[in-house]
Structure formats: structure tokens, C-alpha cells
């Protein structure tokens, strides 16, 4: 085996070992989504409490907060929603919605 082949082999082996160690750490840490901080976001998060419970009913405050009125916010959301929506998965069972992402971006 040439030195170049040996070096390539050793580098690949090192990469595989690092990936194995990282996967082990992730398993040890458990699923971060199980923490109440993440599972309660749909009821207690920034978007639900501030936007859906308060700002959505007050056009003036909504505009002061986002510098857009509700119609403009919804129009922009309609344009980009498909591009920024993420499906739920085992790793992220409660992904951030497109409306939440837009609200955070505007803020």
C-alpha cells in the first residue's frame, strides 16, 4: 500500500470514528425534544402568547411590533410558506411553523 493510500485510509477511519462518537453522545443526551421547554412551545411559546393571544387582535400594536400590518404579514407568509415549512420528524416532532419563522425574522 502506498503512502497516499495509507493516508487516505487512515483519514477515512478517523472520520468514521468521529461520527461514531458523535452519534454516541447524541444518544446519551437523549431526545432534547422531550423537555417541556420544547413540548410546551405550541401553548406557551413567543408566537402563541404574544402574537396569537395579543397582537393579532390589535392592528396598531401588531404594526408597531412587526412594522407590517396583519394583511401584509399574511401576504408575505403566503409567498414564502412553502419554502420555509419543515415537516415533523422523529428528531423534530414539533417544528417551528412558517408563521413563527417569519415573525422571528421580522422581529
Amino acid at each position: 500500500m502506498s503512502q497516499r493510500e495509507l493516508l487516505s485510509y487512515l483519514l477515512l477511519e478517523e472520520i468514521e470514528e468521529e461520527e461514531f462518537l458523535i452519534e454516541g453522545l447524541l444518544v446519551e443526551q437523549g431526545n432534547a425534544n422531550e423537555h417541556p421547554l420544547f413540548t410546551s412551545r405550541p401553548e406557551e411559546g413567543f408566537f402563541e402568547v404574544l402574537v396569537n393571544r395579543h397582537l393579532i387582535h390589535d392592528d396598531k400594536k401588531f404594526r408597531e411590533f412587526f412594522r407590517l400590518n396583519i394583511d401584509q404579514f399574511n401576504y408575505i407568509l403566503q409567498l414564502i410558506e412553502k419554502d420555509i415549512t419543515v415537516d415533523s420528524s422523529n428528531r423534530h416532532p414539533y417544528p417551528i411553523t412558517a408563521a413563527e419563522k417569519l415573525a422571528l425574522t421580522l422581529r
Side-chain angles (χ1 to χ4, degrees):
M1 184 180 286
S2 72
Q3 284 185 333
R4 177 175 265 160
E5 291 172 334
L6 179 61
L7 182 59
S8 295
Y9 173 77
L10 292 173
L11 286 173
L12 286 173
E13 192 174 276
E14 185 177 336
I15 291 170
E16 288 175 357
E17 184 178 325
E18 286 176 356
E19 288 174 352
F20 178 76
L21 290 173
I22 290 171
E23 287 176 10
L25 287 173
L26 292 175
V27 169
E28 285 177 17
Q29 291 175 356
N31 188 354
N33 293 328
E34 293 174 359
H35 192 280
L37 173 69
F38 300 106
T39 57
S40 65
R41 190 184 75 236
E43 300 87 28
E44 300 174 358
F46 150 82
F47 190 79
E48 180 60 31
V49 173
L50 184 62
V51 177
N52 286 341
R53 292 187 194 166
H54 299 287
L55 295 178
I56 203 78
H57 304 296
D58 187 342
D59 292 334
K60 182 180 178 190
K61 288 294 181 191
F62 190 95
R63 183 163 179 82
E64 287 175 8
F65 193 77
F66 289 117
R67 293 186 175 90
L68 296 172
N69 64 36
I70 295 170
D71 293 333
Q72 291 168 327
F73 181 89
N74 289 329
Y75 177 73
I76 293 171
L77 180 61
Q78 175 197 357
L79 293 175
I80 64 172
E81 188 168 18
K82 290 179 185 174
D83 297 326
I84 63 173
T85 299
V86 176
D87 294 330
S88 63
S89 66
N90 289 340
R91 187 173 179 147
H92 301 287
Y94 308 105
I96 297 173
T97 65
E100 289 173 299
K101 288 180 184 179
L102 178 58
L104 291 171
T105 301
L106 292 172
R107 224 16 224 160

